[in-house]
Amino acid sequence: MNWLKRMMYGRYGVDELSLFLLGLYLVLVLLSQLPHLALLSWLALAVILWDFFRILSRRFDRRRAENAKFLSLAGPVIRWFKIRRTILRDREHRYFKCPNCGQYLRVPRGRGKINVVCRSCGVSFEEKS
């Protein structure tokens, strides 16, 4: 395992974009097994080679810029999935979206009708918890 540490020293490594590319590679490989979609295996090969190039690169500035661009495009989707997962797991609270600014607000369940005040913009609205 020491040889891997020595090889990766000074390399960029794994980030969110490289994990996305790995997932895309797996999807493309699975789809390429279907009839008439064999060309997807070549596209999958190109994706995994690009991913390895990024992981082994020594150009930190360019790889960080690529990852920042990816996160600016995929950030809203990632946040949406994270808030959905949080809402599904949390049984003790209800979540409301502020009608003014869109901020998600958490209130305890089972309190009846309550007045919810947004911490971001100060708008107050009534909801059933």
Side-chain angles (χ1 to χ4, degrees), residues 5-125:
K5 286 182 183 178
R6 280 185 279 136
M7 185 191 78
M8 290 302 292
Y9 184 78
R11 308 286 179 160
Y12 184 67
V14 179
D15 60 1
E16 289 86 0
L17 178 56
S18 62
L19 291 175
F20 171 77
L21 290 174
L22 183 63
L24 179 63
Y25 165 76
L26 292 174
V27 168
L28 289 174
V29 165
L30 290 174
L31 287 177
S32 70
Q33 301 303 315
L34 296 173
H36 306 292
L37 294 177
L39 283 175
L40 287 180
S41 63
W42 290 102
L43 183 59
L45 179 66
V47 168
I48 199 68
L49 288 176
W50 182 31
D51 195 19
F52 281 137
F53 168 75
R54 291 191 77 255
I55 290 170
L56 297 174
S57 174
R58 293 181 188 260
R59 299 292 307 263
F60 283 77
D61 53 343
R62 289 189 181 178
R63 302 297 86 83
R64 283 187 184 134
E66 291 169 356
N67 192 45
K69 179 80 170 171
F70 170 74
L71 288 177
S72 70
L73 295 173
V77 175
I78 293 169
R79 281 190 297 278
W80 187 84
F81 277 110
K82 284 184 177 180
I83 192 71
R84 292 290 159 236
R85 184 182 66 198
T86 302
I87 290 171
L88 288 174
R89 288 182 178 174
D90 191 2
R91 299 288 181 206
E92 298 174 0
H93 297 92
R94 292 258 337 240
Y95 289 80
F96 299 106
K97 193 171 185 178
C98 175
N100 190 33
C101 66
Q103 175 78 25
Y104 280 96
L105 306 166
R106 184 180 79 163
V107 297
R109 283 189 185 267
R111 301 284 171 106
K113 282 200 172 198
I114 59 172
N115 193 22
V116 181
V117 179
C118 179
R119 293 182 302 265
S120 297
C121 63
V123 169
S124 108
F125 54 97

